[in-house]
Amino acid sequence: GQQVMQIPQYQHVQEGEDFTTYCNSSTTLSNIQWYKQRPGGHPVFLIQLVKSGEVKKQKRLTFQFGEAKKNSSLHITATQTTDVGTYFCAGPEGGSNYKLTFGKGTLLTVNP
Amino acid sequence: DGGITQSPKYLFRKEGQNVTLSCEQNLNHDAMYWYRQDPGQGLRLIYYSQIVNDFQKGDIAEGYSVSREKKESFPLTVTSAQKNPTAFYLCASTRTQNQPQHFGDGTRLSIL
């Protein structure tokens, strides 16, 4: 079945440093979604990318969708303590646009 | 405010007991989902439902059952056949296919 891999699994940074997490799918995706889960909380939708090579920005967050639509990345510039949490990517499973396959996530911790 | 309400927040199960987790949404979303999250793990799909009176098994359906008698409600029963039920259970909904998922606050289930 479809697999969505994320690396790294953990990342610890000093406040102000940049952070990047990478997401790779075993199959071509029609779209990719990113979610953030704060410690003790629930996942919250951040963004959806649909087009090949698409780049979207939300303040200090930059999201990219690969040309082949099989990989994606999330880059945070100048991390803040409020960025702490687990970042998940998710893509629709082949044959069902209702069913999402989630990566295992990247846990970001930020040292103030 | 529209949203997804999960109850209870914490639940304890005795050996051999079935327990039911509640999930209600007032977003008028068609599809609803149940995920299981274990520490340090991503989200694994238990069951999902695209429309009322219809649902499909996810990747880890064994030991669980669901019903979808009303659009706004999607309860999950953790049966005694689920031998390792301790986890964080998340309910989600989405308006239609390829749309972002909205999550409830989750239910933490433990074994007594």
Side-chain angles (χ1 to χ4, degrees):
Chain A
Q2 176 180 294
Q3 292 187 341
V4 175
M5 310 295 291
Q6 265 186 271
I7 56 169
Q9 190 174 0
Y10 306 97
Q11 183 78 59
H12 179 72
V13 300
Q14 289 293 127
E15 189 170 21
E17 291 182 341
D18 292 356
F19 159 78
T20 304
T21 174
Y22 300 91
C23 180
N24 289 285
S25 170
S26 58
T27 60
T28 302
L29 300 170
S30 60
N31 70 87
I32 193 157
Q33 299 173 23
W34 285 91
Y35 294 79
K36 176 183 177 182
Q37 184 176 23
R38 294 182 186 274
H42 60 272
V44 173
F45 171 76
L46 293 177
I47 208 160
Q48 182 180 41
L49 304 173
V50 178
K51 299 176 184 175
S52 169
E54 188 170 13
V55 177
K56 285 189 177 180
K57 293 191 175 184
Q58 288 180 350
K59 298 183 181 178
R60 293 178 294 102
L61 278 60
T62 301
F63 302 84
Q64 291 188 319
F65 200 10
E67 293 290 341
K69 301 183 77 172
K70 293 182 72 174
N71 57 76
S72 181
S73 65
L74 159 58
H75 179 83
I76 301 178
T77 303
T79 55
Q80 299 175 0
T81 54
T82 53
D83 295 325
V84 164
T86 302
Y87 293 85
F88 294 99
C89 63
E93 184 152 317
S96 170
N97 288 322
Y98 280 96
K99 190 178 174 186
L100 285 181
T101 300
F102 281 81
K104 290 191 175 181
T106 297
L107 173 60
L108 171 65
T109 55
V110 179
N111 199 29
Chain B
D1 271 346
I4 299 178
T5 302
Q6 288 189 241
S7 62
K9 192 168 184 177
Y10 299 95
L11 187 58
F12 298 91
R13 195 192 89 170
K14 295 179 181 178
E15 293 285 342
Q17 186 182 44
N18 293 353
V19 291
T20 297
L21 284 60
S22 170
C23 179
E24 303 278 330
Q25 55 100 356
N26 60 6
L27 298 166
N28 199 31
H29 284 178
D30 286 334
M32 297 186 73
Y33 306 79
W34 274 105
Y35 293 94
R36 170 179 171 143
Q37 186 174 36
D38 294 283
Q41 298 295 311
L43 305 176
R44 292 187 291 168
L45 183 64
I46 304 172
Y47 269 97
Y48 68 107
S49 167
Q50 294 174 205
I51 56 172
V52 175
N53 291 323
D54 187 42
F55 49 83
Q56 289 79 39
K57 291 182 179 179
D59 302 316
I60 54 165
E62 186 174 349
Y64 301 97
S65 67
V66 294
S67 63
R68 185 86 188 275
E69 298 176 1
K70 298 186 296 182
K71 186 175 184 177
E72 56 270 23
S73 178
F74 192 41
L76 173 74
T77 297
V78 184
T79 75
S80 56
Q82 173 49 245
K83 297 306 179 188
N84 184 23
T86 297
F88 187 43
Y89 290 87
L90 286 158
C91 179
S93 72
T94 184
R95 184 169 56 84
T96 184
Q97 59 186 327
N98 283 323
Q99 294 297 303
Q101 294 191 4
H102 298 255
F103 287 84
D105 289 340
T107 294
R108 293 191 185 276
L109 176 62
S110 302
I111 291 285
L112 279 178

